[in-house]
């Protein structure tokens, strides 16, 4: 299999952490891709018509894309139990919360990086950050018992999302007022899979 890949992408990181945690890293060749919302890499576009990473090219079967689809496939392939049936809806909702947080954080970077400076909307940026902030508050107030439970995909998604905030939005000081989430991330970030995939 081949993974269309960019190490700075938090969604690629989510897949990479999953590969490490499920013991499948050596099964996947990583193909670095330079792409953007306004200049899609041709090889990536042929694998994923919407031109986004990650995309997992399989030898038998169509290419898989969207990190949630890829991670679900990898978990099933390894029978790793990262989507535990007993708490599947909680796990999926936590993963969706983390991915929504990350989507909004990426959107801020895109607004600042790809839109002409005179057209950058601070109102839009702050609206995106409000989504991030609400998600962080929900994690702090509603999800700590789940985060402190057995490893699942919700936790991996949260860890990668918070790592992206540190990487691209450290000036926002997301930890302030969220001591439980901050302490959890300090511990989770020391996992081998997280250290091996930390952007920098």
């Amino acid at each position: 299999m081949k993974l269309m890949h960019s190490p700075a992408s938090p969604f690629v990181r989510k897949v990479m952490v999953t590969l490490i945690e499920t013991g499948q890293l050596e099964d996947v060749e990583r193909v670095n891709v330079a792409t953007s919302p306004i200049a899609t890499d041709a090889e990536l576009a042929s694998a994923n018509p919407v031109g986004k990473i990650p995309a997992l090219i399989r030898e038998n079967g169509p290419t898989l894309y969207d990190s949630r689809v890829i991670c679900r496939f990898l978990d099933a392939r390894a029978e790793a139990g990262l989507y535990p049936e007993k708490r599947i809806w909680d796990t999926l909702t936590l993963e969706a919360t983390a991915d929504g947080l990350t989507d909004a954080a990426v959107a801020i970077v895109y607004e600042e990086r790809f839109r002409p400076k005179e057209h950058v909307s601070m109102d839009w940026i702050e609206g995106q950050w409000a989504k991030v902030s609400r998600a962080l508050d929900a994690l702090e107030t509603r999800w700590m018992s789940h985060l402190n439970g057995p490893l699942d995909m919700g936790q991996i998604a949260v860890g990668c999302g918070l790592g992206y905030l540190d990487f691209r939005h450290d000036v926002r000081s997301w930890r302030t007022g969220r001591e439980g989430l901050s302490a959890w991330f300090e511990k989770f970030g020391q996992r081998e899979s997280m250290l091996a995939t930390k952007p920098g």
Side-chain angles (χ1 to χ4, degrees), residues 10 13 17 98 101-102 136 139-140 143-144 147-148 154-168 170 173-176 178-195 197-199:
R13 186 183 189 190
V17 169
L101 175 160
T102 307
L136 290 169
L139 293 172
E140 175 76 18
W143 289 100
M144 290 310 304
L147 288 172
N148 287 311
Q155 294 174 18
I156 291 173
V158 170
C160 293
L162 297 181
Y164 188 73
L165 297 185
D166 280 352
F167 181 50
R168 295 297 193 197
D170 61 316
S173 301
W174 67 263
R175 290 172 175 79
T176 302
R178 303 180 182 103
E179 288 77 13
L181 186 60
S182 176
W184 175 83
F185 181 60
E186 290 304 312
K187 181 178 179 181
F188 191 83
Q190 295 305 306
R191 295 183 72 90
E192 180 182 344
S193 61
M194 292 292 289
L195 293 172
T197 57
K198 186 174 181 179

Side-chain angles (χ1 to χ4, degrees), residues 42-135:
E43 185 179 5
L44 176 61
S46 69
N48 177 0
V50 299
K52 291 184 177 183
I53 51 174
L56 184 66
I57 301 171
R58 298 182 292 166
E59 294 177 3
N60 299 304
T63 297
L64 302 179
Y65 39 89
D66 188 281
S67 65
R68 274 180 271 191
V69 175
I70 296 171
C71 289
R72 193 73 184 261
F73 167 77
L74 293 172
D75 177 67
R77 183 176 185 263
E79 299 181 350
L82 294 176
Y83 290 93
E85 192 58 38
K86 286 187 177 180
R87 59 182 196 280
I88 188 62
W89 302 117
D90 288 350
T91 299
L92 290 172
T93 301
L94 181 58
E95 183 184 16
T97 301
D99 284 356
L101 175 160
T102 307
D103 274 330
V106 170
I108 293 171
V109 172
Y110 284 173
E111 176 75 6
E112 295 174 334
R113 183 175 297 172
F114 296 109
R115 192 178 294 277
K117 187 174 182 180
E118 64 271 19
H119 296 304
V120 170
S121 170
M122 293 308 300
D123 287 342
W124 194 87
I125 287 173
E126 291 308 315
Q128 296 303 308
W129 186 257
K131 297 177 185 180
V132 174
S133 186
R134 289 193 300 269

Side-chain angles (χ1 to χ4, degrees), residues 18-41:
T18 302
L19 285 168
I20 294 169
E21 292 286 351
T22 60
Q24 299 179 86
L25 186 62
E26 299 305 317
D27 296 343
V28 176
E29 175 188 348
R30 291 170 301 280
V31 179
N32 283 329
V33 176
T35 193
S36 80
I38 58 176
T40 302
D41 176 87

